[in-house]
Structure formats: C-alpha cells, structure tokens
Amino acid sequence: MGIKTSILLAALAFSHLILLFAGFFAPCDPTTQDRELPYAPPTHLRFRDASGFHLRPFVYAWTSSSAGEQSDDYQENYREDRSREFPLQFCVRGASYKVLGVFKTDVHLFGTTEPGKLSLLGTDSYGRDEFSRLLFGGQISVAAGIAATAIALLVGSIFGLIAGYYGGWTDESLMGVTELFLSLPWLYFLLGVRAFLPLHLSTVRTFFLLTGVIGLIGWARPARLVRGLVLSLRHRNYVLSARGFGGSDFYIVRRHILPEIAGVLLTQASLLIPRYIAAEVTLSFFGLGVNEPAPTWGNMLSTLQQYSVLVSYGWLLAPAAALVVTSVLYSSLADAIHRG
C-alpha cells in the first residue's frame, strides 16, 4: 500500500469517524429550533476584547433586529451583543443523543453556556444549527451510499460470477439483463421508481427503501466487469489444474477466483460510493428521500431552490462542499488503488 493510498484511507476513516459519532462532535441537537435566530450567520470565535487577548476563545450572542427592520442583508439583521462573553468549553453537557444508536449520553466535545450559542456554520430558516445538521445529515447520506454500494457489488458479483464461470446460455441470458439495466437512464429511472413508493414513511424505512432501490439499480456495471474477469480467470492454468484434481466449483471460486477480483471490487466500491451518495442527495433534494426533521445533505440543500436564499446565505452551501470533498477523496482513493 502506497503512501498516497494510506493518507487517503486515513482521511476517509477520520471523516467517517466524525460522522459516526456525530452526536459527540455536534454542539446542538439537529432538530432543535430557535425561531428568533433564522438565517443567523456563523458565530465568530474571538480571542480579543476590550480588556486584551485571551487564550481561551469566546463568542458573543447574536441579537436580531425587530421584524419590521429585517433586511435581505443578514449583516444588517444581526449584531453581536458585546455586553457578555461566553467562553468556549470542552466536554460539556447538552442535548442527549445515542452513540451508535444504543448508548444514551449528553456529553459533547465543545459548546458554550446559554444564552450563548455556538453556530460554526450559522443557522437555517428555523434557527437550527447548520454544523450539527451537517454531521447528522452526513450519517444518513454517507451510510446510504455505502449500503447501496454493498448491495450493488453483492448482486453484481453473484451475477458476474455465474455468467463468467458457466458461460453458454447462462452467460447470454444474464448479460442480456445486464445490458438492459445499463441502457436505462439510471437517474430518471431512480426518480420514477421512488416517486411510486409511499412518501410518508419513517426515517428508517425510507433509508432502507432508498438504499435498496439505488443498490438494485446499480448492480449491472459491476456484474459486467466481474464477468469479464471471471471469463479470463477460468482459463488460467491453476484454475484448470484445480478442476482437474477434482476441485468443486465452490472451492475454485472461493480459492482462486474471488481473491483475484477483490482488488477490482474495492476500486469499484471507491467509485460507486460517492455516486450513490449523490443519488441520495438528489432524491432528498427533490423531496423524494428522507424527510424533515431528520437531516440529510439533500434535504438541507433543498432550501437553496429559492434564489434569494442561495445568494444571501452562503453558509447553507456547506452540505454541497461536504459532498464535493467526500467525492474527491473517494475518487482519489480509487485512482490510487488502480495505480497501485
């Protein structure tokens, strides 16, 4: 494993670890609303006040203008109340959450005391903390991409192995189905399939429906790739020797075929995960994915369909930036694995 691959794996592992323990790293509950602070800009961490420099950073509370004085310029709607400082604190008590969906706790990595509020990426139209929603939303979006990729690779590997190993009419039949799936415009087909499913479902059921639909639509390309590799591998001398010595099909596939295609499947996983994350984001963006109040990167971006919001509140683009960074990391990892 090269240095570049190790660095990319470490970066992905670190980012996914943060998402996995989003409750600990997020200072607020992602569903808690503060209607007095809609579209509040990101909180400024301060080190200096009128008395001088401080080693511990602090924040000021935002105060909003009255409803009649609201302006399209957020800088005119909010100002810092400098009458009181709120130091940044670590390992603070806050909103309760579950670690890995099992253990309940209320400890957060950082935060501040009320009425101070630490909003590193500002707030949305309901006054909900954008940074906390970004982390919790990443849990669903990234998990959907990984789960859908696992389904696609599992189904594709089974079809590809059977088609490539046995050949003949089995190969022709399965590859015919594969070509049919490859010819479909998967994005529009995905939107059409999801539109026929019930919209008002729980977050968990919607998640499994999304991952199942995305994964079952995307199995064709991995199947075709695996089939081509298996067609080549089944004529190798060591495979022919194993068959000549009475090795069963299961033994040959497990001992000689699967280890050879593992690297290709890993590369395919690195390419498919960001694609399927984008698929979940697209569905949620159009209101066909996980619904509010549960955050995903897609439904967080849906507010940007309003042009006035898009041009006025740039911090709401944070989920798009997270999606781009995640896609670049996975694509770079796929390239590094392929070159290695």
Side-chain angles (χ1 to χ4, degrees), residues 61-81:
W62 287 118
T63 58
S64 60
S65 60
S66 62
E69 300 174 350
Q70 289 292 309
S71 167
D72 292 335
D73 186 352
Y74 70 87
Q75 294 180 348
E76 298 179 5
N77 295 332
Y78 293 97
R79 62 180 179 84
E80 292 179 327
D81 180 6

Side-chain angles (χ1 to χ4, degrees), residues 11-25:
L12 281 170
F14 178 72
S15 62
H16 288 10
L17 188 65
I18 292 177
L19 295 180
L20 186 63
F21 296 98
F24 175 69
F25 291 99

Side-chain angles (χ1 to χ4, degrees), residues 10 60 75 79 132 134 163 166 224 238 264 272 291 317 326 334:
Y60 294 115
Q75 294 180 348
R79 62 180 179 84
S132 299
L134 179 73
Y166 291 105
R224 189 176 181 180
Y238 54 84
V264 175
L272 292 178
N291 296 318
L317 286 167
T326 303

Side-chain angles (χ1 to χ4, degrees), residues 55-117:
L55 292 177
R56 171 179 287 189
F58 62 90
V59 300
Y60 294 115
W62 287 118
T63 58
S64 60
S65 60
S66 62
E69 300 174 350
Q70 289 292 309
S71 167
D72 292 335
D73 186 352
Y74 70 87
Q75 294 180 348
E76 298 179 5
N77 295 332
Y78 293 97
R79 62 180 179 84
E80 292 179 327
D81 180 6
R82 303 203 173 190
S83 62
R84 182 181 175 186
E85 300 172 357
F86 300 93
L88 180 67
Q89 300 177 351
F90 293 94
C91 295
V92 297
R93 299 285 182 177
S96 61
Y97 61 92
K98 288 186 177 181
V99 179
L100 303 178
V102 178
F103 308 104
K104 191 173 184 179
T105 182
D106 61 355
V107 178
H108 298 261
L109 176 62
F110 58 88
T112 188
T113 56
E114 296 290 343
K117 187 173 182 180

